[in-house]
């Protein structure tokens, strides 16, 4: 029997008793007792030369079917070296599997290494097989058999050709088989178990199941410099290429496609970024005319989800993860999508196909940012990303975060939770529209903004943005007089004061306090918070008596509602201490501060944040006792001038003049033990609260004050180091950075003027000084 051109016999039908049917050539057929039919059509005489034994066939020189030599190739030095250095173990197939996310560059790396390998092994084939199924592997082996012995094409069906190729591989050495895009490790086990005298290079999105089959070589995205180099190779140098590559998550497939698209369309990296923001669905599906549509980013995403389509939970999880930050996503956020075993199983399958990465302890999940971007993009033509599915995922992501964020973010026990959730809240806000914000989103933004104000002074500008958005949502959903809106308004006052937007903060503080008293009454916790916000701003305005009254009212209310030993009550006591000092009773303030510190240690412990904050207050008051204090009017003038950066030196001269008139040399200075205590307090804050926490910043500034009060040159170097660390933690764009630099520049200039001209000139007042204001440069 001969084979049809595709090596499969043609099927024909036969009917009736003892009927015989044959396609093509037939020999003798016995249809019944004594009945013989004989048909002779075309006969082939199969000579040994036409169909030789596989073991006897030599490889034609330079035989390979490599589709690409991957000439536009960057990086991957470690992976290439690992493949080069591998050694063969007798009796075992040498097999490596390059695994990673679709588009990560597995096939490109395989082509690059295979082309180099074939150059040094010209006497053995380097054969590329598309291996996404067992039938595809059989087809690739059949093609290899025909390439080795072309006469077999007309003689053997595909399954026999594949078997012939297997026998050839088992009996020859030096060959290389590239099995591209293996979807299931089990598909290659029969091949690897029989052909043990050559090399296999496998590519797969499957990251698990290779133990005992092939040595894994995981691939990650390209480093930044390599990504930019790849873009330049495919297109040209572009000043915005680094930003574009970052947006594409340094995924090689995406970079190559975008570069080719830019070259064909003539657009720049900046223009592509703008289009990507405006019409992401079009751009993720975009291709240049010379590239395979099946290899677009969106298509690669779709193909992987198709492979997991038997479990719809995998797609729901992936679409939900798309709204969070790429790394460190707590797995607990997925609890509402299904039972724990179901979620665990779906995540395992996604990880096995390189769509997500699970942490070593399994508690967190990471997703490539481009996978997230595609997952957030609605596409009516993609059943996995329908508008309904994407919107449902956004809602699920928001509600999961809303449930995870606690109510009392001032409680130190919840800070680790908030640190873990913070990047995901900010990312969710970045990828959602304000007009779509729900009540859950408003609460989420309010609590997160509240946490950020205490967590780090560097987070204040970002906290302000979240709180403004939350306020707009609350007004829209609940009204201006709602408790939700007033809650945000109180936090906004804190944020604007901390960002030195004093004038606006003062207006909000007074309005919010009046609204709280009118709507909520005198016993509501928000009213107490509003009183403390107003106290701080009234104090800055120089109205010490009213500031003290507000602080005392807030303290009395918290004692009634929360009790004597609550950390919120202690915080209010700290405000009373400071208000008393500002009202002209520093001795009474020091006594109250000492009592407060004892109570904090007793009720909260030595390392509670409120205890640490109180220690800083005690040290600051002791420092003020060691140095002469200027009038509040001079301090307030200096503070306002430093905020706007104008007239700072003139205001500083007022402060220096008032200080100098007291004769500071006659006052007690901090002792060595005072300095050591301030240093220990900062060390504790750094260890317990972290480098960026607001109370750590306060402790650092307190220590700087203690150093200065010693008037000892030994502490100058330490002070400079701590000042640099404080400014570094803020960042050059933070408003407090500019404020502090203005302060220190002005004080330094004023002190130099005083040292040069002497107290007698300063006694005449700053308005008589001829020295001009120093510029407020950073």
């Amino acid at each position: 029997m001969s084979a049809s051109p595709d090596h499969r016999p043609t099927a024909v039908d036969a009917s009736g008793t003892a009927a015989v049917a044959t396609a093509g050539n037939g020999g003798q057929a016995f249809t019944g007792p004594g009945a013989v039919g004989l048909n002779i059509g075309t006969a082939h005489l199969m000579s040994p030369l036409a169909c030789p034994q596989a073991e006897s066939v030599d490889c034609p020189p330079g035989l390979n079917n490599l589709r690409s030599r991957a000439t536009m190739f960057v990086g991957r030095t470690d992976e290439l070296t690992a493949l080069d250095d591998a050694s063969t173990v007798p009796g075992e197939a040498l097999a490596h599997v390059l695994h990673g996310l679709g588009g990560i560059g597995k096939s490109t790396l395989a082509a690059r290494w295979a082309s180099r390998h074939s150059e040094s092994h010209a006497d053995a084939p380097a054969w590329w097989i598309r291996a996404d199924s067992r039938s595809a592997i059989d087809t690739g082996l059949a093609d290899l058999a025909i390439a080795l012995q072309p006469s077999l094409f007309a003689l053997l069906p595909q399954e026999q050709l594949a078997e012939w190729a297997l026998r050839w591989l088992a009996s020859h050495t030096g060959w290389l088989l590239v099995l591209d895009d293996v979807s299931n490790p089990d598909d290659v086990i029969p091949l690897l178990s029989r052909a043990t005298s050559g090399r296999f290079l496998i590519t797969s999105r499957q990251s698990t199941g290779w133990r005992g089959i092939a040595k894994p070589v995981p691939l990650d995205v390209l480093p930044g410099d390599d990504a930019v180099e790849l873009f330049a190779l495919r297109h040209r140098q572009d000043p915005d290429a680094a930003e574009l590559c970052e947006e594409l998550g340094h995924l090689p497939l995406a970079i190559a496609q975008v570069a080719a698209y830019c070259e064909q369309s003539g657009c720049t990296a900046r223009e592509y970024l703008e289009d990507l923001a405006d019409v992401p669905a079009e751009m993720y599906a975009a291709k240049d005319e010379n590239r395979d549509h099946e290899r677009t980013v969106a298509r690669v995403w779709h193909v992987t989800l198709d492979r997991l389509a038997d479990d719809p939970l995998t797609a729901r999880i992936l679409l939900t993860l798309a709204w969070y930050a790429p790394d460190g996503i707590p797995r607990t956020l997925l609890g509402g999508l299904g039972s724990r075993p179901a979620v665990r199983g779906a995540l395992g399958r996604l990880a096995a196909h390189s769509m997500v990465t699970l942490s070593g302890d399994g508690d967190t999940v990471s997703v490539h940012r481009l996978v997230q971007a595609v997952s957030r993009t609605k596409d009516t033509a993609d059943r996995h990303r329908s508008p309904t599915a994407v919107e449902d995922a956004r809602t699920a992501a928001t509600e999961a975060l809303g449930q995870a964020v606690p109510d009392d973010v001032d409680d130190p026990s919840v800070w680790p939770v908030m640190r873990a959730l913070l990047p995901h809240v900010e990312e969710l806000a970045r990828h959602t529209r304000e007009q779509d914000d729900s009540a859950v989103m408003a609460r989420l933004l309010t609590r997160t903004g509240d946490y950020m104000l205490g967590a780090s002074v560097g987070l204040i500008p970002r906290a302000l943005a979240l709180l403004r958005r939350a306020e707009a949502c609350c007004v829209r959903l609940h009204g201006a007089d709602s408790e939700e809106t007033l809650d945000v308004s109180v936090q906004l006052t804190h944020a604007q004061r901390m960002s030195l937007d004093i004038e606006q903060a003062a207006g909000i503080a007074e309005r919010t306090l009046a609204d709280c008293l009118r709507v909520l009454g005198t016993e509501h916790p928000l009213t107490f918070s509003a009183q403390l916000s107003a106290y701080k701003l009234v104090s800055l305005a120089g109205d010490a008596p009213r500031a003290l009254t507000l602080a005392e009212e807030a303290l009395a209310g918290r004692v009634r509602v929360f009790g004597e030993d609550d950390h919120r009550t202690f915080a209010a006591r700290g405000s009373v201490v400071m208000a008393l000092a500002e009202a002209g009773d520093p001795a009474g303030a020091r006594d109250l501060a000492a009592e407060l510190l004892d109570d904090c240690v007793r009720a909260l412990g030595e390392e509670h944040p409120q205890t640490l904050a109180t220690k800083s207050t005690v040290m600051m008051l002791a420092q003020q006792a060691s140095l002469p204090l200027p009038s509040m009017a001079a301090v307030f003038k200096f503070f306002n001038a430093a905020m706007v950066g104008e007239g700072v030196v003139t205001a500083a001269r007022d402060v220096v003049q008032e200080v100098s008139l007291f004769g500071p040399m006659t006052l007690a200075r901090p002792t060595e033990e005072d300095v050591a205590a301030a240093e220990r307090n900062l060390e504790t804050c750094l260890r317990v609260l972290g480098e960026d926490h607001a109370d750590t910043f306060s402790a650092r500034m307190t220590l700087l004050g203690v150093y200065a009060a010693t008037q000892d040159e030994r502490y100058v170097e330490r002070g400079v180091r701590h000042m640099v660390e404080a400014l570094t933690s803020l960042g050059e764009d933070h408003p407090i950075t500019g404020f502090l630099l203005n302060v220190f520049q002005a004080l330094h200039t004023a002190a130099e003027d005083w040292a040069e001209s002497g107290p007698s000139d300063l006694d005449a007042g700053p308005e008589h000084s001829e020295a001009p204001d120093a510029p407020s440069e950073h």
Side-chain angles (χ1 to χ4, degrees):
M1 180 180 65
S2 66
S4 62
D6 64 354
H7 313 299
R8 291 175 296 179
T10 302
V12 296
D13 295 328
S15 62
T17 304
V20 175
T22 179
N25 303 310
Q28 292 181 346
F30 297 88
T31 62
V36 178
L38 180 64
N39 173 57
I40 299 176
T42 303
H44 290 283
L45 297 177
M46 299 176 62
S47 70
L49 294 177
C51 188
Q53 294 292 318
E55 293 79 2
S56 65
V57 175
D58 294 328
C59 175
L63 178 63
N64 76 71
N65 70 336
L66 301 179
R67 302 174 183 177
S68 168
R69 300 179 68 83
T71 55
M72 292 187 180
F73 185 87
V74 298
R76 305 299 193 195
T77 303
D78 292 342
E79 292 84 356
L80 290 170
T81 301
L83 294 174
D84 287 338
D85 294 345
S87 57
T88 303
V89 178
E92 294 183 9
L94 182 58
H96 289 82
V97 55
L98 306 174
H99 66 80
L101 176 67
I104 205 76
K106 303 179 293 295
S107 298
T108 302
L109 175 58
R112 178 71 166 188
W113 187 82
S115 65
R116 296 193 335 184
H117 180 274
S118 66
E119 292 172 0
S120 58
H121 295 76
D123 57 341
W127 201 252
W128 190 285
I129 295 177
R130 179 71 177 176
D132 55 354
S133 66
R134 292 196 180 189
S135 62
I137 295 173
D138 288 342
T139 298
L141 289 173
D143 292 341
L144 173 60
I146 294 168
L148 289 165
Q149 185 65 36
S151 62
L152 298 178
F153 175 79
L155 299 178
L156 299 178
Q158 178 172 294
E159 60 271 16
Q160 293 184 19
L161 287 169
E163 176 62 26
W164 191 95
L166 265 175
R167 292 203 309 270
W168 189 94
L169 293 170
S171 58
H172 292 76
T173 61
W175 46 264
L176 168 68
L177 249 58
V178 180
L179 304 176
D180 187 35
D181 197 24
V182 174
S183 58
N184 189 337
D186 291 342
D187 291 344
V188 300
I189 290 178
L191 175 57
L192 269 64
S193 63
R194 291 186 57 185
T196 60
S197 54
R199 290 200 65 166
F200 291 97
L201 183 56
I202 302 167
T203 73
S204 179
R205 298 177 200 180
Q206 184 90 1
S207 61
T208 59
W210 296 106
R211 187 183 300 275
I213 301 174
K215 183 176 181 180
V217 180
L219 292 192
D220 202 348
V221 296
L222 291 173
D225 291 343
D226 288 347
V228 173
E229 182 182 352
L230 177 60
F231 183 89
L233 283 175
R234 298 275 183 170
H235 182 32
R236 63 170 183 264
Q237 298 287 345
D238 190 301
D240 297 311
E243 183 180 348
L244 177 55
C245 290
E246 177 71 22
E247 185 65 26
L248 297 173
H250 297 163
L251 189 70
L253 172 64
I255 294 168
Q257 288 182 344
V258 169
Y261 176 88
C262 289
E263 182 177 26
Q264 175 184 292
S265 61
C267 78
T268 64
R270 175 58 52 196
E271 290 170 332
Y272 192 96
L273 280 166
E274 293 170 355
D275 291 342
L276 191 60
D278 293 339
V279 284
E282 293 182 29
M283 302 314 293
Y284 291 132
K287 65 181 182 67
D288 69 293
E289 292 300 321
N290 298 318
R291 293 193 67 86
D292 183 1
H293 174 68
E294 296 299 302
R295 296 294 293 164
T296 62
V297 173
R299 181 60 182 167
V300 168
W301 184 97
H302 179 87
V303 167
T304 304
L305 262 293
D306 275 349
R307 292 180 179 178
L308 301 172
D310 59 310
D311 182 7
L313 182 57
T314 56
R316 289 202 300 274
I317 287 177
L318 197 61
L319 265 62
T320 302
L321 293 173
W323 300 95
Y324 300 141
D327 299 313
I329 305 170
R331 205 168 79 176
T332 52
L333 293 177
L334 304 174
L337 299 180
S339 67
R340 189 164 59 182
V343 170
R344 185 190 305 118
L347 281 173
R349 296 192 68 196
L350 286 168
H353 286 78
S354 303
M355 295 296 274
V356 304
T357 302
L358 304 180
S359 62
D361 55 14
D363 290 340
T364 62
V365 185
S366 297
V367 193
H368 188 274
R369 61 185 304 168
L370 204 55
V371 172
Q372 290 183 301
V374 174
S375 302
R376 288 191 302 268
T377 305
K378 301 171 185 176
D379 187 349
T380 55
D382 190 331
R383 63 191 178 96
H384 303 300
R385 294 184 290 139
S386 68
T388 299
V390 173
E391 281 300 310
D392 287 347
R394 179 181 65 83
T395 300
T398 304
E399 291 179 349
L401 273 177
Q403 293 174 5
V405 169
D407 287 325
D408 184 8
V409 295
D410 292 331
D411 182 353
S413 67
V414 307
W415 289 354
V417 174
M418 290 304 303
R419 276 195 297 270
L421 297 180
L422 174 59
H424 307 299
V425 175
E426 290 192 288
E427 197 73 7
L428 175 66
R430 189 166 77 91
H431 292 298
T432 53
R433 303 183 306 170
E434 293 188 24
Q435 57 265 39
D436 295 332
D437 286 348
S438 62
V440 173
M441 186 69 170
R443 176 190 171 277
L444 182 60
L445 297 177
T446 302
R447 296 279 71 79
T448 303
D450 184 7
Y451 164 75
M452 293 167 74
L453 293 179
S456 170
V457 288
L459 295 177
I460 292 171
R462 286 152 55 188
L464 188 58
L466 294 186
L467 291 169
R468 283 174 174 160
R469 178 168 168 177
E471 184 183 48
C473 179
C474 286
V475 170
R476 172 171 56 85
L477 295 179
H478 308 296
D481 283 346
S482 67
E483 182 175 335
E484 292 84 356
T485 301
L486 293 175
D487 185 9
V488 185
S489 297
V490 170
Q491 302 308 325
L492 266 176
T493 303
H494 295 330
Q496 286 167 329
R497 176 181 57 81
M498 295 175 74
S499 63
L500 304 182
D501 190 357
I502 303 300
E503 184 176 350
Q504 186 171 2
I508 294 178
E510 293 287 4
R511 184 174 65 252
T512 301
L513 175 56
D515 290 341
C516 286
L517 288 169
R518 174 175 55 85
V519 176
L520 304 176
T522 59
E523 299 301 297
H524 196 282
L526 272 180
T527 302
F528 310 147
S529 297
Q531 288 169 330
L532 290 176
S533 294
Y535 137 70
K536 293 173 183 177
L537 290 158
V538 168
S539 175
L540 287 174
D543 189 350
R546 181 166 181 252
L548 179 58
T549 298
L550 287 169
E552 289 175 337
E553 288 176 351
L555 172 58
R558 286 189 170 179
V559 169
R560 291 193 301 270
V561 174
F562 301 126
E564 293 276 358
D565 288 342
D566 188 86
H567 68 91
R568 290 164 290 191
T569 301
F570 290 144
R573 286 176 63 182
S575 295
V576 171
V577 167
M578 294 305 301
L580 196 61
E582 292 157 0
D585 187 5
R590 286 193 292 274
D591 291 341
L592 288 181
E595 293 175 9
L596 174 59
L597 180 58
D598 290 341
D599 289 342
C600 285
V601 171
R602 171 186 55 78
L604 304 177
E606 287 277 359
E607 296 187 348
H608 190 279
Q610 185 57 50
T611 304
L612 298 177
T614 303
K615 285 183 180 179
S616 293
T617 299
V618 169
M619 293 174 189
M620 184 186 66
L621 291 172
Q623 167 195 334
Q624 290 180 347
S626 301
L627 287 173
L629 295 175
S631 66
M632 280 303 299
V635 172
F636 186 64
K637 176 184 176 183
F638 176 49
F639 179 81
N640 284 324
M643 283 193 297
V644 298
E646 297 177 1
V648 191
V649 174
T650 299
R653 290 189 188 118
D654 288 345
V655 174
V656 172
Q657 177 184 1
E658 292 192 15
V659 170
S660 67
L661 295 178
F662 284 91
M665 297 299 293
T666 63
L667 297 177
R669 299 173 185 169
T671 65
E672 294 288 331
E673 177 53 35
D674 293 333
V675 173
E679 290 177 335
R680 287 195 302 271
N681 186 51
L682 175 58
E683 290 171 0
T684 305
C685 287
L686 287 168
R687 175 171 53 81
V688 176
L689 306 177
E691 185 173 355
D692 296 333
H693 195 275
D695 286 339
T696 302
F697 185 82
S698 297
R700 197 186 297 277
M701 301 308 293
T702 298
L703 177 59
L704 287 174
V706 173
Y707 284 156
T710 64
Q711 300 182 27
D712 191 328
E713 292 184 356
R714 292 178 301 162
Y715 299 112
V716 171
E717 183 177 352
R718 296 188 205 178
V720 170
R721 174 168 57 83
H722 282 292
M723 188 66 218
V724 170
E725 290 174 354
L727 294 176
T728 301
S729 69
L730 292 173
E732 63 179 14
D733 295 330
H734 196 286
I736 295 180
T737 302
F739 166 73
L740 288 175
L741 289 172
N742 283 338
V743 167
F744 284 100
Q745 177 183 339
L747 287 174
H748 178 70
T749 302
E752 284 185 336
D753 288 349
W754 175 70
E756 291 176 359
S757 59
S760 58
D761 290 341
L762 283 172
D763 290 345
E767 64 274 11
H768 297 123
S769 175
E770 297 180 357
D773 280 0
S776 58
E777 296 177 358
H778 289 183

